[in-house]
Amino acid sequence: MARVYATPEQLTAWTGQPAPPDADRLLARASEDVDDALISAVYATDAAGMPTDPAIVQALADATCAQVEYQQATGDDGTGAAGRWDSVSIGPVSLSGRKDGPAAAGDVDLAPRAYRVLRRAGLLPGVIW
């Protein structure tokens, strides 16, 4: 079972806006992005793989909410497909101005605010000594 680090209520508190109807799905996808960014981070977890340190729990929730906020602002639906072209037409096919998102830790398009939250919590960059 996938780990989800934030709730729709936390997303509402983070953004100051009501959570979208598909908030659970968006939070699950954003949690996967956070997991990918933390591939080499070391922190204590319980048997389900959830963090046990309250500061880490809060950092992962904040980073997950920041990731959803970022995806909504960029028009992404959590799939990573949005915002890759300036213009797209379906027929006859026309694409222009490809935009690649910045590669972050774990090769995920991590929201700048999510990255900063994780860095401040000591989770990034993930270095194993």
Side-chain angles (χ1 to χ4, degrees), residues 8-27:
E9 293 78 22
Q10 289 170 308
L11 180 61
T12 295
W14 178 268
T15 63
Q17 301 293 322
D22 60 344
D24 288 323
R25 181 184 66 80
L26 295 172
L27 290 165

Side-chain angles (χ1 to χ4, degrees), residues 90-108:
I90 296 301
V93 177
S94 171
L95 306 169
S96 69
R98 180 168 173 77
K99 301 185 292 184
D100 288 324
D107 200 29
V108 63

Side-chain angles (χ1 to χ4, degrees), residues 2 4 12 16 19 21 23 31 40-42 46 51 54-55 57 68 70 75 77 81-82 97 99 101 106:
V4 179
T12 295
S31 293
S40 62
V42 177
D46 62 17
V57 170
V68 171
Y70 173 73
D77 60 2
K99 301 185 292 184

